[in-house]
Amino acid sequence: MLRRSARHGVGRKAARKSNAGFMQFEEFGLIEPLMRAISEEGYATPTAIQEQAIPHVLAGGDLLGCAQTGTGKTAAFALPILQRLYTTRTDGPRVIRSLVVSPTRELAAQIGESFVAYGRHTGLRQATIFGGVRSGPQRKAIAKGIDVLVATPGRLLDLVGQGVVKLNHVEVLVLDEADRMLDMGFIDDVRRIVRLLPRERQTLFFSATMPYEIQHLADSILRNAVEIRIAPEAPAAETVDQTVYFVERAQKHLLLAHLLTGESVSRGLVFTRTKRSADRLTRTLRESQIPVDVIHSDRSQSERERALDRFKKGHVRVLVASDIASRGLDVDDISHVINYDMPEEPETYVHRIGRTGRAGAAGQAFSFCGIEERCYLDQIEKLIRRPLPATSDHPFPSPVPRAAKAAATPAPTGPVMANGWKKPLRRNLLGRRRRR
């Protein structure tokens, strides 16, 4: 059962480090250790999701938050959770009292870093666990006693099964990027995790989009929750200047090298559809003497962390990524997002370009659209409810006008049937793909 916030649908721009909002953090009644950390982080005015969510979470109620990426969701749940744990802690041994579940290791790591930053003066402890690395250090951190555990579903269930993690004292559950967990097939794992928790708990449920399966999951685990929707379900960021380049696949790498020449792209994030394409493009850019690194799920955790650290520190100004990073990356001052491959799902476009134009800053998004990808562009424009401006002011324009797209539009991906058409994919309620 959900009840909507009284200010449902507030569309004020996020202003994480500015004075553009109407409230101040002091008005929430946060404890002094948290206020000191907020000041040290340079935050002055809460974002829209923080302004609406923090009072509800402090009051102890369940919450359903639907907000696009880059709106400050992590602080919206981390600050009130830290306040609750700090003001109600006891002298007994530390137990896991708050559990945050996220879909990817990058996102889990960044949430963990936020808890450390906001809670640096509270004495509370947190640990972050995810797969792809040895579990030994994670086990040691848990054995020392922690108050907050941030985890990806697979590693969490592994350590629960081995008796390393005990969830019987969890007071607050956070499910972050729930729709991404659906896309990645984790919904069964999420349901298993929920069944391991005490029935009496506070549940905070965040999702950038709200498809039927996610709404159904939320209804099954939330009780009398307040629902907050900061923006329409999938609008593109208002601060991002978006442009489409019609260019054929064989010339995309030439166009990208052309755009990266000079210093106008000070920090660019380039998205490809596949890991193989990401590696191939990275090699091509390096041959053109462009400082670049790559991040995707086939790289080891240490390689991914090293690539991300080099990008954050400016040692490389271009990072090529597959879609696993479209929500998990949190890097300040990304000037450009470049869709080297058009995403097959229009919602993914929104999450990709959400990496730039954050916290009210301006950003640019370039999308390279080949003739076989124009159906994806149509879906994106339908979702964001406006056409994307196109430019032909570049050396490699497609010779095929957009009006000719219908003859070249591919069928949805899937197995080829006898008649030559491809059978589309559909998901069931548990997030598994099935054939129609």
Side-chain angles (χ1 to χ4, degrees):
M1 181 69 67
L2 299 174
R3 55 189 178 90
R4 295 182 184 274
S5 168
R7 290 181 291 167
H8 170 79
V10 171
R12 181 168 57 81
K13 292 182 181 179
R16 186 175 54 146
K17 292 187 180 181
S18 74
N19 295 316
F22 300 107
M23 291 188 67
Q24 300 294 314
F25 280 102
E26 291 84 353
E27 298 178 55
F28 293 131
L30 296 174
I31 56 178
E32 188 277 335
L34 294 180
M35 289 302 304
R36 200 182 340 155
I38 290 170
S39 176
E40 291 169 355
E41 290 294 305
Y43 299 173
T45 304
T47 66
I49 186 68
Q50 294 162 6
E51 184 176 321
Q52 297 188 59
I54 289 176
H56 293 303
V57 181
L58 285 172
D62 286 4
L63 177 73
L64 173 61
C66 185
Q68 68 189 78
T69 187
T71 54
K73 287 182 295 179
T74 302
F77 62 77
L79 291 171
I81 287 174
L82 289 168
Q83 173 136 328
R84 172 176 178 154
L85 301 184
Y86 182 84
T87 57
T88 61
R89 59 184 175 181
T90 63
D91 294 331
R94 293 179 189 264
V95 293
I96 299 170
R97 298 173 59 199
S98 180
L99 172 66
V100 182
V101 182
S102 73
T104 67
R105 34 190 152 171
E106 285 81 14
L107 183 56
Q110 287 158 16
I111 293 172
E113 290 170 1
S114 294
F115 269 97
V116 170
Y118 303 147
R120 61 169 67 102
H121 303 301
T122 64
L124 297 170
R125 295 180 188 168
Q126 74 86 36
T128 303
I129 62 174
F130 44 75
V133 297
R134 293 184 299 108
S135 64
Q138 298 175 0
R139 292 166 175 265
K140 291 179 181 178
I142 295 170
K144 293 178 180 178
I146 57 173
D147 304 282
V148 179
L149 178 63
V150 183
T152 54
R155 178 54 59 91
L156 175 61
L157 289 173
D158 285 345
L159 296 187
V160 167
Q162 296 170 27
V164 176
V165 172
K166 307 290 186 182
L167 300 177
N168 54 310
H169 291 97
V170 170
E171 301 171 17
V172 185
L173 167 67
V174 180
L175 296 178
D176 195 22
E177 301 285 8
D179 52 347
R180 187 64 169 166
M181 284 193 263
L182 172 70
D183 291 341
M184 298 175 71
F186 289 150
I187 293 301
D188 273 348
D189 289 344
V190 170
R191 294 184 188 278
R192 288 178 59 196
I193 292 167
V194 170
R195 288 196 293 268
L196 295 171
L197 303 176
R199 291 180 60 87
E200 293 299 321
R201 66 175 187 275
Q202 182 181 21
T203 303
L204 312 176
F205 190 106
F206 292 92
S207 185
T209 60
M210 201 59 60
Y212 170 78
E213 295 93 336
I214 293 301
Q215 187 71 59
H216 181 73
L217 175 64
D219 290 342
S220 69
I221 64 177
L222 296 172
R223 295 182 299 176
N224 297 318
V226 168
E227 180 180 355
I228 297 174
R229 294 177 184 263
I230 295 305
E233 290 226 346
E238 296 178 3
T239 57
V240 179
D241 183 16
Q242 302 163 66
T243 306
V244 176
Y245 289 78
F246 290 114
V247 56
E248 298 315 313
R249 178 169 299 280
Q251 294 185 306
K252 283 188 175 184
H253 68 285
L254 298 175
L255 175 58
L256 180 60
H258 170 74
L259 294 175
L260 293 177
T261 301
E263 300 299 324
S264 60
V265 180
S266 59
R267 181 170 289 174
L269 183 58
V270 180
F271 283 109
T272 64
R273 191 176 300 125
T274 66
K275 296 170 283 191
R276 181 179 179 183
S277 177
D279 284 332
R280 185 168 55 245
L281 179 60
T282 301
R283 288 194 297 270
T284 300
L285 293 177
R286 285 173 177 165
E287 290 171 358
S288 300
Q289 307 302 312
I290 295 173
V292 61
D293 216 323
V294 61
I295 183 171
H296 56 65
S297 59
D298 275 358
R299 304 200 78 192
S300 69
Q301 183 64 22
S302 60
E303 289 175 327
R304 292 160 74 170
E305 290 177 350
R306 184 163 56 250
L308 186 57
D309 184 63
R310 281 163 47 83
F311 185 56
K312 286 182 175 180
K313 293 180 178 178
H315 297 161
V316 296
R317 64 184 178 95
V318 179
L319 183 67
V320 178
S322 61
D323 277 321
I324 190 170
S326 63
R327 298 192 201 180
L329 291 177
D330 185 14
V331 180
D332 291 335
D333 302 324
I334 290 179
S335 64
H336 293 72
V337 165
I338 300 175
N339 292 304
Y340 186 82
D341 294 321
M342 297 294 288
E344 294 180 356
E345 297 179 355
E347 293 85 0
T348 300
Y349 173 83
V350 177
H351 301 311
R352 285 182 179 184
I353 71 169
R355 299 300 96 203
T356 187
R358 307 188 78 176
Q364 294 192 63
F366 299 155
S367 297
F368 295 178
C369 186
I371 188 170
E372 75 281 0
E373 298 174 303
R374 296 184 187 183
C375 58
Y376 305 139
L377 176 60
D378 292 341
Q379 295 168 2
I380 291 168
E381 292 179 335
K382 182 178 180 180
L383 181 70
I384 66 176
R385 297 185 288 277
R386 68 173 185 267
L388 290 176
T391 180
S392 58
D393 185 20
H394 63 89
F396 312 102
S398 171
V400 183
R402 187 177 184 185
K405 67 181 182 298
T409 297
T413 57
V416 178
M417 299 188 295
N419 61 6
W421 287 91
K422 293 189 176 183
K423 190 181 295 184
L425 293 170
R426 181 184 266 177
R427 297 184 185 274
N428 61 19
L429 288 180
L430 295 178
R432 295 171 175 166
R433 289 185 171 184
R434 60 184 176 86
R435 303 295 176 194
R436 182 163 58 188

